[in-house]
Amino acid sequence: MNLTAENYYSPEANYEYMSASQFKDFAGTYGQVRCEALAMAKLRGEYQEEKTTALLVGSYVDSYFEGTLDKFKLENPEIFTKTSQKKYPDDPEKWELLSDYKQANNIIARIERDEFFMAHMAGQKQVIMTGELFGLPWKIKIDSYLEGIAIVDLKVMASLTKHEWVRDIGYLDFVRYWGYDIQAAVYQEIVYQNTGKRLPFYIAGASKEKATNIKIVHVQDNYLHEALNIVKYNIERVKQVKYGEAIPDRCGNCDYCRETEVLTAPITISDLVADI
């Protein structure tokens, strides 16, 4: 299958190719519960994540730097004032964000004031590459590809400095908590397969705090080696579930599981605290 910007996220592409985000749906991360049933529901197009304010703010910033902001506006008119849409029905550039979403423009303005950050965002936008890892075809889409120099991914986070507590491990940074090290490892490997160059991976991070915090985070190679081993350890199970060779497990805690659970027996009080 020849991947393009138009079909990259299609059900057909998602079934044919593995991606970092799809892998994390199946295998989970420290901050994302592993739910194979949810992963399969997404793959079949039976479930879509809710468009929360936080998600839409991040997507607005992403689309601005991708150069697809007008398309994003047309697909998400609910985040703009109806007055501005009526006044300029054929000119999305003049649509005004609702108050809950105005932070997106503040984040963009903060990023654009910093030359170092913008230098990392100056590469080729949304570069698609494919390759093979552990017996499966994979796809990647790079936010800013500085050819021969670096791979850069833009992340808009609630905070860049808040650490999350993980049982048996302790506090973790946002990169490993949300599995962005896994994404980094996959991207670096696929770029290497396509170019013969193993490039450094950077996260261009911006926070949604009142005063936007910006950082360029280098995800060092030792973390990438560890992350690739996580993929290697889990990929056989992911492959079996994705292609119908094993029954997907349910996490029992995500929105999808709550919405689709069929009760067959009572639980005990101890079941309520089993994961604590």
Side-chain angles (χ1 to χ4, degrees):
M1 181 178 183
N2 182 36
L3 292 179
T4 65
E6 288 70 31
N7 68 17
Y8 184 86
Y9 296 108
S10 68
E12 294 79 13
N14 289 335
Y15 185 80
E16 182 162 340
Y17 292 93
M18 181 60 63
S19 67
S21 58
Q22 186 183 133
F23 173 83
K24 290 190 290 181
D25 283 341
F26 277 101
T29 70
Y30 294 115
Q32 178 180 334
V33 176
R34 165 185 170 272
C35 187
E36 295 171 345
L38 172 61
M40 289 302 297
K42 285 184 177 181
L43 201 58
R44 293 190 295 262
E46 298 171 358
Y47 186 85
Q48 291 185 338
E49 291 180 333
E50 179 187 0
K51 290 183 178 181
T52 63
T53 300
L55 181 65
L56 286 167
V57 167
S59 297
Y60 183 99
V61 177
D62 286 340
S63 63
Y64 175 85
F65 286 102
E66 288 174 12
T68 59
L69 188 54
D70 280 354
K71 180 175 181 289
F72 173 84
K73 289 179 177 182
L74 293 172
E75 292 174 349
N76 299 278
E78 68 276 10
I79 73 173
F80 300 93
T81 65
K82 291 183 179 179
T83 302
S84 64
Q85 292 181 61
K86 288 180 180 178
K87 189 174 181 180
Y88 306 105
D90 300 320
D91 192 356
E93 286 188 10
K94 295 182 179 179
W95 291 0
E96 183 182 353
L97 286 166
L98 292 169
S99 57
D100 288 346
Y101 302 95
K102 286 185 176 179
Q103 185 187 28
N105 281 329
N106 296 334
I107 294 170
I108 291 168
R110 176 66 187 95
I111 288 173
E112 290 188 324
R113 291 202 309 269
D114 192 273
E115 292 183 8
F116 188 71
F117 196 110
M118 289 300 292
H120 284 77
M121 294 301 300
Q124 300 173 50
K125 303 296 190 295
Q126 303 304 306
V127 175
I128 295 171
M129 293 185 185
T130 61
E132 184 175 314
L133 279 174
F134 308 114
L136 284 178
W138 289 68
K139 60 175 181 169
I140 65 172
K141 198 176 189 186
I142 306 170
D143 286 344
S144 177
Y145 176 51
L146 297 160
E147 189 172 356
I149 299 172
I151 306 160
V152 182
D153 194 75
L154 177 65
K155 299 293 184 192
V156 181
M157 309 294 299
S159 170
L160 303 181
T161 55
K162 182 183 177 183
H163 288 67
E164 301 289 349
W165 176 261
V166 177
R167 186 174 59 183
D168 299 329
I169 293 178
Y171 285 104
L172 274 185
D173 54 87
F174 82 91
V175 178
R176 289 176 293 168
Y177 188 74
W178 294 112
Y180 297 141
D181 54 339
I182 293 172
Q183 178 189 356
V186 170
Y187 277 37
Q188 186 189 67
E189 181 60 29
I190 298 301
V191 170
Y192 173 73
Q193 290 181 15
N194 281 267
T195 68
K197 295 182 179 180
R198 196 169 296 280
L199 303 180
F201 184 97
Y202 296 96
I203 290 176
S207 79
K208 299 171 188 170
E209 295 160 310
K210 182 178 179 181
T212 300
N213 185 20
I214 57 172
K215 293 287 185 289
I216 300 297
V217 183
H218 179 204
V219 186
Q220 301 103 307
D221 283 355
N222 59 304
Y223 292 114
L224 303 190
H225 295 321
E226 292 175 11
L228 210 56
N229 281 331
I230 292 173
V231 178
K232 181 180 180 180
Y233 178 80
N234 288 280
I235 198 64
E236 190 57 37
R237 170 67 186 179
V238 171
K239 190 188 307 182
Q240 290 172 357
V241 175
K242 180 175 180 177
Y243 297 111
E245 298 171 8
I247 297 173
D249 290 335
R250 298 169 61 90
C251 73
N253 294 312
C254 69
D255 288 346
Y256 174 77
C257 284
R258 294 190 188 105
E259 290 176 1
T260 59
E261 182 179 16
V262 178
L263 299 181
T264 57
I267 64 171
T268 66
I269 290 176
S270 59
D271 290 324
L272 294 173
V273 296
D275 292 332
I276 296 178

